[in-house]
Amino acid sequence: MGIIGSTIQPFKATAFQAGKDFFDVTNEDLAGKWSVFFFYPADFTFVCPTELEDMGEKYEMLQSMGVEVYAVSTDTHFSHKAWHDTSDKIGKLKFPFLGDQNHVLSNQFGVLREGVGLADRATFVVDPDGVIQIMEITCEGVGRNANELTRKIKAAQYVRANPGQVCPAAWEEGAETLAPSLDLVGKI
């Protein structure tokens, strides 16, 4: 079975978030809101801080859209805090970092590199019903783009709020959408 359209499985992970004590996040915390699971291979690495910083620049906008971001690696929450406390780029981030040292989330999302113990560079968008709507996985050397992710989330939210409508390629908020029908077949 494919992962798109599947429901997130039960989980519990300990999180680090700037300005807070360590806290647990479970699948129940996702109910009723949009969530992004932003997997990356490891703390204290090279591409990871650049894309996490990029995501941090969109965090307030995503929050205003009703979206919570969870950065996830197979490091512990203690390692996340140490990275936050010692890196200028990571130190300014406000979203939660989930420790997945037991590989529960990495296995559930199918991104654990067997025999290596690290997660792939992967993004999953989960809707308020706990259903995975968007996924992106890239090779280790290719960072992701938070602008494109934000565009895709806006499209997913639009489609959810407007049944019978779909968003064409490169759709931007406010642009024309499509209503799939037999009349459109062969005309696009």
Side-chain angles (χ1 to χ4, degrees):
M1 178 173 93
I3 196 161
I4 297 293
S6 66
T7 301
I8 193 166
Q9 298 301 304
F11 75 89
K12 179 179 176 182
T14 303
F16 165 75
Q17 188 171 11
K20 295 186 177 183
D21 290 333
F22 296 131
F23 61 98
D24 288 334
V25 174
T26 71
N27 54 294
E28 294 171 3
D29 296 317
L30 310 181
K33 49 191 154 183
W34 290 84
S35 303
V36 171
F37 287 82
F38 200 76
F39 287 88
Y40 62 96
D43 293 348
F44 299 100
T45 55
F46 314 102
V47 175
C48 302
T50 65
E51 59 182 4
L52 289 163
E53 180 182 41
D54 185 45
M55 179 64 75
E57 291 170 2
K58 293 292 180 205
Y59 185 57
E60 283 186 30
M61 176 188 291
L62 290 167
Q63 291 268 280
S64 74
M65 295 165 50
V67 180
E68 183 56 85
V69 174
Y70 299 99
V72 186
S73 77
T74 56
D75 298 293
T76 67
H77 54 289
F78 297 112
S79 179
H80 295 328
K81 181 180 184 329
W83 195 25
H84 181 274
D85 292 349
T86 59
S87 166
D88 291 338
K89 286 186 183 304
I90 302 305
K92 61 186 174 186
L93 301 178
K94 297 181 177 157
F95 46 78
F97 283 70
L98 303 183
D100 189 34
Q101 67 273 16
N102 295 325
H103 306 158
V104 171
L105 286 166
S106 299
N107 275 316
Q108 287 179 355
F109 283 92
V111 298
L112 183 67
R113 292 187 214 160
E114 291 301 324
V116 179
L118 301 176
D120 283 323
R121 195 174 303 290
T123 308
F124 297 88
V125 177
V126 179
D127 74 16
D129 297 320
V131 176
I132 298 169
Q133 296 296 333
I134 296 169
M135 67 178 274
E136 176 185 21
I137 302 174
T138 67
C139 64
E140 188 166 334
V142 178
R144 293 159 283 180
N145 183 318
N147 285 327
E148 176 61 4
L149 176 62
T150 302
R151 185 195 70 78
K152 288 177 184 177
I153 294 170
K154 287 179 180 180
Q157 289 179 333
Y158 181 89
V159 168
R160 179 181 171 92
N162 297 277
Q165 295 289 307
V166 296
C167 298
W171 178 86
E172 294 287 342
E173 189 173 29
E176 209 171 301
T177 59
L178 302 171
S181 71
L182 287 177
D183 295 337
L184 289 180
V185 174
K187 295 180 182 173
I188 298 176

